[in-house]
């Protein structure tokens, strides 16, 4: 069984945590996420033009690039994480250009060698899957697709066709970090998605607090938290790991116990 | 790859998935995808709807002031012949899109897109702008149709293009200064995309150049092709034949593709696109074809200025309208097929050409077409006297006099 399947196969919903590679002391921040109880790590690949991101993650991208974070450094972070944490799934999230620049085959190969379990490419919809998807899947790396409130029933099968690993439901039409969606609409959307796929469904965008995360975890297989963690890294720099561990622990508690308290 | 292209035509791109050979496509987030597909459907319908065509043409005639004149630049031609060898020195003609309402070709496209927005029932308009010409043109059509309009503009461009910022505000648009990144056109486009993704239900994004996700490169080209269609008729009527060479400046490539496209299947018509070489191709510049490589940005695959990790590198040009690290995907394809030749002109060459046109023809051009004129200066002398060059004078220079004064060391 893959690391992702195991993480989503636990008896409780999964906490998925996003931070940007190269922003702050990333190795220590990733360890703090695991210690706090994160079930899946999403590692952002910095890009000069993060079009789908709100202010918090935009700034994190620029901080990381400002420090000279290269693609090679992203893979160093991933592969050393894999040595320290053989069981915790790690997926890369980012934009197409840095992923395809040296060739999609090169990128897929690096992912496989570094122990990367999946890739979320924000600006490569199913229509352009050929650019990247087949290379990743051939290398045994999951291609995690986004579904959004605008993904209607007619379009969903096309999204699911090339989706592997898990499905990421973006709960609001918008950029990362700002708005939050109502739990009722999320519940409805998740059940619509689950009618079309056996993949686990994780929900993200705008989830900041343990309360929100717990509420979503009642109706989903996983909850993604990004901007709130990235903001801590931005505020606390080298001291961020302790803060990140603290918030992650609170989020993990809420997410992991959500379905018990619901029963 | 593009199996559907007929090798005997350069005018049937893109394919049904929006690809021009390996370029173009729809590299957008899932949230935008359904909207892009809806826009494509609506555009296909509009194209075959006589009412749409009629309204577009009526506005171009009576609001924009088309057709724009075709002008034989006699004194410039004579001036360039002075340095030429015996029998050399081509005739220089200008397609005068700088005489359009709002002072540039940008309005042609804005008229087309706002009509699409209205057909789609959208009630709010957004746009990005660099020099402010597209922002002004968008604010203009938004005012004309009574729709609220937000224009994203890099904070640096807001500084250097104050008159256009004020124009947009007079026209009722809200101008939002974008401080992210280098605070220029690329960042304005990122911010417009962020707005769009959050407001897809009611908002139409009027993209200002022949770039972005499919169907934008196609529809912007089609709306701008009025330039080339008119030029073709006017040249045939005035010179009795097709031109030998077309020349146009390239930022994202909309004025150039608008002039070129109707001639692409005329094998004897050569074409030259002119990118901004800034301080020089070995220094800071904005020449994506000359100094870039294929990649993905802002919804399409095309030539980009980027580093070895695929991070986007800032462009530089004295002309804010050419200061963009990408180019429309159709130009990338036309370069690779060899149908169009591309060259570049530096800031200095453009400034010289700007002044040359002022003095020889009494026309103050924008800095963008000054790059095209700079290329004309170089090539006209190498072409025979009976050869005909048609260059796109796609904007007037009112907006640029402060920049030019500054570059010439004149205090206003
Ligand atoms: C007068 C003028 N020409 C050219 C351009 C460059 O755009 P494009 O290459 O799309 O024509 C601009 C952009 O602002 C402009 O204002």
């Amino acid at each position: 069984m893959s690391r992702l399947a195991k993480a989503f196969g636990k008896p409780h919903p999964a906490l998925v945590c996003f931070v940007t590679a190269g922003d702050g002391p990333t190795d220590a921040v990733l360890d703090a996420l695991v210690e706090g109880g994160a079930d899946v790590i999403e590692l952002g690949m910095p890009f000069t033009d993060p079009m789908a991101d709100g202010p918090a993650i935009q700034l994190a991208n620029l901080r990381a690039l400002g420090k000279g974070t290269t693609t090679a450094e992203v893979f160093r972070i991933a592969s050393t994480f894999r040595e320290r944490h053989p069981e915790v799934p790690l997926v890369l999230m980012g934009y197409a250009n840095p992923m395809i620049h040296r060739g999609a085959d090169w990128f897929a190969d690096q992912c496989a060698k570094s122990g990367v379990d999946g890739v979320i490419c924000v600006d490569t919809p199913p229509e352009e899957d050929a650019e990247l998807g087949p290379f990743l899947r051939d290398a045994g790396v999951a291609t995690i697709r986004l579904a959004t409130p605008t993904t209607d029933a007619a379009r969903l099968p096309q999204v699911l066709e090339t989706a592997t690993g898990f499905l990421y439901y973006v709960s609001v039409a918008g950029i990362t970090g700002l708005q939050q969606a109502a739990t009722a609409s999320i519940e409805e959307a998740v059940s619509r998605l689950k009618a079309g796929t056996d993949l686990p469904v994780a929900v993200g965008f705008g989830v900041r607090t343990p309360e929100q995360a717990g509420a979503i975890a009642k109706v989903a297989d996983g909850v993604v938290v990004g901007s709130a963690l990235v903001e801590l890294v931005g505020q606390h720099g080298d001291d961020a790991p302790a803060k990140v561990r603290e918030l992650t622990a609170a989020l993990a508690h809420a997410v992991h116990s959500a379905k018990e308290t619901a029963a | 790859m593009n199996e559907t292209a007929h090798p005997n035509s350069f005018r049937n791109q893109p394919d049904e998935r929006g690809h021009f050979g390996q370029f173009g496509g729809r590299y957008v987030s899932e949230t935008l995808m359904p909207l892009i597909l809806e826009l494509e459907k609506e555009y296909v319908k509009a194209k075959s709807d006589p009412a749409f065509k009629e309204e577009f043409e009526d506005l171009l005639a009576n609001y924009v002031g088309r057709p724009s004149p075709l002008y034989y630049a006699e004194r410039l031609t004579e001036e360039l012949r002075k340095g030429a060898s015996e029998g050399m020195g081509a005739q220089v003609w200008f397609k005068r899109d700088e005489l359009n309402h709002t002072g540039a070709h940008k309005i042609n496209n804005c008229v087309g897109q706002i009509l699409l927005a209205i057909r789609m029932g959208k009630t709010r308009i957004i746009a990005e702008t660099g020099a402010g010409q597209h922002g002004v043109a968008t604010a203009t059509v938004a005012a004309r149709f009574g729709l609220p309009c937000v224009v994203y503009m890099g904070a640096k461009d807001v500084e250097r293009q104050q008159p256009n910022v004020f124009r947009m505000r007079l026209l009722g648009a809200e101008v939002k200064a974008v401080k992210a990144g280098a605070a220029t056109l690329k960042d304005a486009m990122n911010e417009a995309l962020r707005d769009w993704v959050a407001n897809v239900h009611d908002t139409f994004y009027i993209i200002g150049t022949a770039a972005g996700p499919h169907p934008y490169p196609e529809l912007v080209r089609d709306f701008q092709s009025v330039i080339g269609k008119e030029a073709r008729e006017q040249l045939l009527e005035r010179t009795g034949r097709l031109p030998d060479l077309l020349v146009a400046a390239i930022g994202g490539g909309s004025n150039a593709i608008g002039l070129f496209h109707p001639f692409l299947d005329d094998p004897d018509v050569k074409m030259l696109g002119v990118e901004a070489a800034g301080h020089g191709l070995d220094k800071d510049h904005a020449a994506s074809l000359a100094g870039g490589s294929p990649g993905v940005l802002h919804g399409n695959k095309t030539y980009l200025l980027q580093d070895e990790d695929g991070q986007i590198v800032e462009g530089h040009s004295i002309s804010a309208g050419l200061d963009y690290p990408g180019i429309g995907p159709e130009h990338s394809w036309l370069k690779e097929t060899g149908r169009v030749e591309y060259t570049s002109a530096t800031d200095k060459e453009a400034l010289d050409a700007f002044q040359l046109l002022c003095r020889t023809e009494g026309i103050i051009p924008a800095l963008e077409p000054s790059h095209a004129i700079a290329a004309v200066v170089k090539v006209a002398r190498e072409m025979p006297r009976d050869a005909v060059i048609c260059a796109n004078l796609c904007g007037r220079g009112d907006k640029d006099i402060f920049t030019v004064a500054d570059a010439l060391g004149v205090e206003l």
Side-chain angles (χ1 to χ4, degrees):
Chain A
M1 204 194 280
S2 74
R3 279 185 286 261
L4 278 171
K6 274 190 212 157
F8 283 101
K10 292 179 189 174
H12 54 72
L15 174 64
V16 183
C17 290
F18 174 96
V19 291
T20 300
D23 181 29
T26 305
D27 296 318
V29 168
L30 294 180
D31 291 345
L33 292 174
V34 175
E35 288 156 20
D39 301 291
V40 178
I41 305 293
E42 261 182 33
L43 184 62
M45 285 185 75
F47 183 45
T48 39
D49 295 84
M51 287 149 295
D53 284 298
I57 297 179
Q58 282 176 46
L59 288 171
N61 277 268
L62 294 182
R63 284 193 299 267
L65 292 172
K67 274 173 42 188
T69 305
T70 58
T71 301
E73 170 65 6
V74 174
F75 282 118
R76 184 205 62 77
I77 291 169
S79 54
T80 54
F81 175 89
R82 181 54 62 235
E83 285 163 20
R84 296 194 306 282
H85 305 283
E87 300 299 326
V88 183
L90 181 140
V91 306
L92 291 180
M93 179 161 186
Y95 294 83
N97 204 47
M99 295 185 185
I100 62 171
H101 186 66
R102 288 186 175 82
D105 50 347
W106 179 88
F107 181 74
D109 187 51
Q110 290 295 305
C111 285
K113 281 188 185 140
S114 313
V116 169
D117 300 284
V119 168
I120 306 170
C121 185
V122 177
D123 54 350
T124 304
E127 281 77 359
E128 304 294 347
D129 181 68
E131 193 71 46
L132 184 62
F135 300 92
L136 290 169
R137 291 188 293 273
D138 283 353
V141 179
T143 49
I144 295 150
R145 290 244 162 258
L146 305 175
T148 71
T150 60
T151 311
D152 58 24
R155 179 168 172 73
L156 185 59
Q158 195 182 356
V159 170
L160 293 173
E161 193 183 319
T162 51
T164 54
F166 65 94
L167 192 64
Y168 186 152
Y169 180 63
V170 174
S171 62
V172 288
I175 52 177
T176 53
L178 300 180
Q179 321 86 327
Q180 43 174 292
T183 315
S185 71
I186 293 175
E187 181 167 16
E188 190 193 313
V190 171
S191 57
R192 190 162 58 83
L193 297 175
K194 291 190 79 74
T197 179
D198 294 333
L199 291 173
V201 177
V203 176
F205 273 49
V207 187
R208 305 186 60 87
T209 65
E211 292 70 35
Q212 292 171 322
I216 292 173
K218 284 193 189 7
V219 301
D221 303 312
V223 181
V224 188
V225 179
S227 295
L229 294 161
V230 167
E231 278 166 23
L232 286 180
V233 176
Q235 279 161 22
H236 299 283
D238 285 345
D239 299 327
K243 307 278 178 190
V244 165
R245 189 182 308 113
E246 202 179 313
L247 176 59
T248 306
L251 290 163
H253 177 74
V255 168
H256 293 166
S257 62
K259 283 186 174 148
E260 298 159 21
T261 52
Chain B
M1 289 281 107
N2 177 30
E3 296 90 12
T4 59
H6 300 178
N8 57 352
S9 176
F10 290 94
R11 302 189 64 226
N12 59 5
Q13 301 288 308
D15 67 16
E16 71 286 352
R17 291 163 55 237
H19 290 132
F20 301 85
Q22 65 154 318
F23 301 106
R26 295 174 280 212
Y27 295 87
V28 296
S29 63
E30 177 60 27
T31 308
L32 289 179
M33 214 38 234
L35 191 78
I36 297 274
L37 294 171
E38 191 197 331
L39 173 61
E40 184 188 343
K41 237 191 261 164
E42 196 60 49
Y43 180 56
V44 169
K45 271 195 256 162
K47 265 199 293 197
S48 56
D49 178 353
F52 182 84
K53 190 163 178 270
E54 197 177 311
E55 194 171 7
F56 179 61
E57 286 174 358
D58 178 70
L59 282 163
L60 287 188
N62 301 310
Y63 188 65
V64 174
R66 302 206 71 93
S68 69
L70 176 75
Y71 172 70
Y72 176 45
E74 194 175 349
R75 289 199 67 234
L76 176 66
T77 301
E78 287 309 320
E79 183 66 27
L80 297 181
R81 281 178 180 168
K82 283 182 191 158
S85 355
E86 184 67 25
M88 304 301 267
Q91 300 173 24
V92 182
W93 295 69
F94 286 117
K95 180 61 176 159
R96 297 201 56 191
D97 258 53
E98 102 278 16
L99 294 176
N100 293 340
H101 180 40
T102 72
H105 67 291
K106 297 285 180 187
I107 189 89
N108 304 329
N109 166 48
C110 291
V111 167
Q113 287 199 47
I114 200 143
L115 292 178
L116 278 178
I118 290 163
R119 277 179 78 99
M120 292 174 76
K122 302 295 179 186
T123 54
R124 176 176 176 268
I125 299 296
I126 60 170
E128 86 295 338
T129 196
Q133 287 306 104
H134 174 61
V136 167
T138 305
T140 297
V141 296
R144 166 65 183 71
F145 286 93
L147 296 182
C149 175
V150 175
V151 179
Y152 290 94
M153 189 169 186
K156 198 186 283 171
D157 291 334
V158 168
E159 284 287 303
R160 55 179 177 176
Q161 303 284 340
Q162 276 298 324
N164 272 344
V165 173
F166 184 56
R167 270 183 203 115
M168 287 183 264
R169 292 194 169 132
L170 283 174
L171 292 161
E174 183 186 349
V175 180
K176 288 199 181 166
V178 179
K179 295 190 190 72
T184 58
L185 179 56
K186 161 174 93 74
D187 309 288
M189 193 145 182
N190 290 333
E191 208 58 30
L193 285 164
R194 291 184 187 114
D195 178 316
W196 200 25
V197 95
N199 297 290
V200 279
H201 56 288
D202 69 350
T203 296
F204 191 99
Y205 180 13
I206 298 189
I207 293 185
T209 191
H214 178 64
Y216 281 101
E218 178 185 352
L219 66 87
V220 174
R221 174 199 72 199
D222 292 349
F223 294 142
Q224 291 293 4
S225 289
V226 65
I227 301 172
K229 280 182 212 146
E230 286 175 7
R232 203 169 185 286
E233 272 178 35
Q234 290 167 321
L235 282 159
L236 282 171
E237 192 187 307
R238 304 269 298 280
T239 69
R241 63 189 186 83
L242 290 171
D244 298 279
L245 179 70
L246 302 173
V247 184
I250 299 204
S254 70
N255 87 82
I257 201 72
L259 176 65
F260 295 169
H261 197 262
F263 294 91
L264 282 175
D265 284 339
D266 297 309
D268 294 335
V269 179
K270 292 200 170 67
M271 300 175 200
L272 184 61
V274 188
E275 296 188 290
H279 298 311
L281 288 180
D282 54 344
K283 305 191 185 75
D284 287 347
H285 64 81
S288 336
L289 290 177
S293 56
V296 170
L297 181 70
H298 292 154
N300 59 156
K301 187 177 197 188
T302 192
Y303 274 80
L304 300 172
L305 299 179
Q306 53 185 326
D307 72 9
E308 67 281 1
D309 272 342
Q311 304 293 350
I312 307 305
V313 174
E314 291 296 331
H316 162 78
S317 169
I318 189 170
S319 143
L322 304 184
D323 199 348
Y324 178 69
I327 182 169
E330 191 159 15
H331 287 291
S332 292
W333 178 74
L334 288 168
K335 174 199 159 82
E336 292 219 332
T337 58
R339 176 62 186 95
V340 176
E341 201 184 316
Y342 294 87
T343 184
S344 61
T346 62
D347 289 354
K348 164 114 194 4
E349 289 165 336
L351 271 170
D352 290 347
F354 176 99
Q355 296 171 82
L356 178 66
L357 196 72
C358 290
R359 288 194 317 265
T360 55
E361 295 292 345
I363 297 172
I364 302 179
L367 281 168
E368 292 82 12
S370 297
H371 287 72
I373 300 163
V376 167
V377 168
K378 282 190 206 164
V379 299
R381 294 190 175 114
E382 312 298 321
M383 294 169 68
R385 288 174 81 92
D386 59 355
V388 170
I389 297 176
C390 177
N392 200 358
L393 196 44
C394 60
R396 56 179 176 245
D398 312 34
K399 70 181 174 66
D400 290 320
I401 53 170
F402 301 101
T403 308
V404 171
D406 194 48
L408 298 178
V410 177
E411 215 165 304
L412 293 185

